[in-house]
Amino acid sequence: MFYRGKFADGGDGREMAAKRQRTVDPGSSFYGGSTGSNFMYNPSPYGYVSQPPPPPPFPVVRLRGLPFDCTETDVAEFFHGLDIVDVLFVHKGGKFTGEGFCVLGYPLQVDFALQRNRQNMGRRYVEVFRSKRQEYYKAIANEVSDARGGSPRRSAPRAKSYDEGKDSAEHTGVLRLRGLPFSASKDDIMDFFKDFGLSEDSIHIVMNSEGRPSGEAYVEFASAEDSKAAMVKDRMTLGSRYIELFPSSHSEMEEAISRGR
């Protein structure tokens, strides 16, 4: 699943289901077939050999000045019309820095993305910069390491308001999930909460106005005690993404679901 916009030519088979894993897998090509050992050529009568064309640049931009309540859906709307393959938010010491990376569907789309530089997202203007594959990979490694406890930043205290807000919220048996891979299925979420015996009917993946996954979902637990116990999964990883959990309510869940219909 990925965002299909007016700059996409369609039919290239690039799917959100393999978005980040495919971009970081050294054994596969982000752009399609490799031009390695399968490249064929004929000797030139003029004494030189044709060379394969260089690979296109990796289509990623860096964002700065993002609102601190920014979601992947907000980034997708900011770049409306472009193919969004992945969105990665950068954290430091457990807190969102206001920076992020956005991988696009095609190298040409980077130029279109740069045209959004200093345009507003909510009340804040966002700066858009060219970036490189290595910078994006390094950011992924830092986020995954942090979420798995492999970085000393993991033990750093989060923002006081962040912790207090979650700890003091009343549990009603409903949790909101944020930061889901766009390709996440109900089965993936059931496996994430495998200790709680969830059913498919208790999981509600939120869609955006275009009918695509928004990166958020709501989960109904058997009781408020179960939803509170499930908070131990907050900021644990699903695939290569860590998931944020928030106590919610049935009314908030129903409102979010209805917005995506």
Side-chain angles (χ1 to χ4, degrees):
M1 182 65 222
F2 57 90
Y3 285 85
R4 175 66 60 187
K6 61 184 179 179
F7 303 113
D9 56 12
D12 66 345
R14 192 177 299 117
E15 298 178 353
M16 287 298 292
K19 56 174 188 176
R20 183 169 298 162
Q21 287 78 8
R22 187 173 178 184
T23 61
V24 301
D25 182 2
S28 63
S29 170
F30 183 80
Y31 302 99
S34 170
T35 58
S37 60
N38 291 329
F39 178 72
M40 303 296 292
Y41 62 89
N42 293 317
S44 167
Y46 299 102
Y48 61 86
V49 175
S50 299
Q51 296 295 323
F58 190 77
V60 60
V61 293
R62 181 168 61 90
L63 309 175
R64 188 168 67 189
L66 293 167
F68 286 96
D69 60 350
C70 180
T71 66
E72 293 180 342
T73 302
D74 295 327
V75 175
E77 291 176 353
F78 182 74
F79 289 124
H80 181 72
L82 303 182
D83 289 338
I84 308 302
V85 174
D86 189 30
V87 176
L88 176 72
F89 295 122
V90 176
H91 295 77
K92 186 173 183 179
K95 299 194 315 185
F96 178 41
T97 63
E99 296 194 7
F101 291 84
C102 182
V103 180
L104 302 162
Y106 305 91
L108 177 64
Q109 293 189 350
V110 169
D111 292 328
F112 290 103
L114 292 173
Q115 294 176 15
R116 315 287 168 92
N117 183 40
R118 302 183 72 85
Q119 292 190 15
N120 275 35
M121 180 185 294
R123 295 183 179 181
R124 302 189 62 174
Y125 72 81
V126 175
E127 295 178 279
V128 184
F129 306 91
R130 292 186 187 275
S131 187
K132 297 179 180 179
R133 182 196 304 261
Q134 292 80 1
E135 293 174 336
Y136 167 69
Y137 284 4
K138 183 177 179 180
I140 291 175
N142 288 340
E143 293 294 310
V144 172
S145 176
D146 188 51
R148 290 178 177 172
S151 167
R153 294 176 309 183
R154 178 62 176 168
S155 60
R158 300 180 205 162
K160 186 176 181 181
S161 60
Y162 181 94
D163 280 335
E164 286 186 350
K166 288 189 176 185
D167 292 343
S168 63
E170 179 183 358
H171 280 268
T172 65
V174 177
L175 292 184
R176 177 168 66 92
L177 283 61
R178 186 171 73 182
L180 288 168
F182 291 124
S183 59
S185 66
K186 289 188 176 183
D187 285 341
D188 294 327
I189 296 172
M190 289 168 62
D191 186 60
F192 185 71
F193 292 113
K194 59 187 176 183
D195 295 333
F196 295 90
L198 299 175
S199 66
E200 287 192 12
D201 292 340
S202 65
I203 298 170
H204 309 274
I205 296 176
V206 178
M207 302 295 177
N208 62 19
S209 58
E210 297 178 346
R212 300 184 176 101
S214 66
E216 294 194 353
Y218 288 82
V219 176
E220 297 177 274
F221 290 82
S223 66
E225 289 75 18
D226 278 1
S227 69
K228 188 172 184 178
M231 288 296 294
V232 299
K233 305 288 288 185
D234 184 32
R235 299 176 70 86
M236 290 190 178
T237 55
L238 194 162
S240 60
R241 305 294 301 274
Y242 70 82
I243 308 301
E244 293 183 279
L245 305 181
F246 302 88
S248 186
S249 65
H250 285 87
S251 58
E252 181 184 350
M253 177 186 73
E254 291 168 2
E255 181 182 353
I257 294 171
S258 63
R259 285 199 305 265
R261 288 174 179 165

